[in-house]
Amino acid sequence: MSNEWFECKVRYEKTMETGLLRRVSESYLVDALSFTEAERRFIEELKPLISGEYTVTDIKRARLAEVVESTDASADRWFKAKVAFLTLDEKTGAEKRTTQQLLVQATDFRAAVAALDKAMAGTLGDWVIVSIAETGIMDVYRYRQAEAS
């Protein structure tokens, strides 16, 4: 059984830099086996970050082939990249495109393209970037082995 990615949304009152409270909605990505585990893990991750009341407003599967994290501490944005793998149909000779979505952590658009190029460097087949767009995802919570015990 393999883990899946779930996009979880939370709504809560956040203290802004001006000191005022503002109701915000934020998205996070959680690596889990099921919706139930995703919600449990998401709430565990939120507890130290949010004081007061909050509501988990949505949990949905995120169809991602891979999450490319950055080692750069200033990389605080997440970009969704759609990549098409190009193959040739031997019978018809037509080009076939198979798409996958990846999530890339970077400081800006150019850095996201560079990180995607680096992550795809070992790919044997031909591929092209179909699109890259910044997402509203605040953070990614990967499965940790310590949680298994």
Side-chain angles (χ1 to χ4, degrees), residues 83-87 96-100 120 123 125-128:
V83 176
F85 294 94
L86 309 172
T87 56
K96 181 181 175 189
R97 296 178 127 209
T98 306
T99 61
Q100 289 187 339
M120 299 296 288
T123 306
D126 293 336
W127 59 276
V128 294

Side-chain angles (χ1 to χ4, degrees), residues 22-35:
R22 182 172 172 214
R23 197 139 184 81
V24 296
S25 182
E26 295 178 343
S27 296
Y28 296 83
L29 202 64
V30 178
D31 186 13
L33 293 170
S34 66
F35 283 93

Side-chain angles (χ1 to χ4, degrees), residues 13-14 18 27 41 46 56 71 77 80 82 87 111 125:
E13 285 192 354
K14 182 177 187 175
T18 59
S27 296
R41 290 197 53 240
L46 285 180
V56 176
T71 56
R77 296 180 186 167
K80 189 174 280 187
K82 186 175 184 180
T87 56

Side-chain angles (χ1 to χ4, degrees), residues 101-137:
Q101 294 199 24
L102 294 87
L103 195 67
V104 181
Q105 185 181 24
T107 54
D108 59 18
F109 183 83
R110 284 186 175 96
V113 172
L116 182 58
D117 284 339
K118 184 177 178 184
M120 299 296 288
T123 306
L124 296 177
D126 293 336
W127 59 276
V128 294
I129 298 172
V130 176
S131 65
I132 296 182
E134 187 173 350
T135 69
I137 293 174

Side-chain angles (χ1 to χ4, degrees), residues 7 9 36 46 49 53 56 60 76 85 93 105 115 135 137 146:
E7 186 175 345
K9 292 187 180 183
T36 306
L46 285 180
L49 303 175
E53 292 186 27
V56 176
K60 63 183 176 185
D76 59 350
F85 294 94
Q105 185 181 24
T135 69
I137 293 174

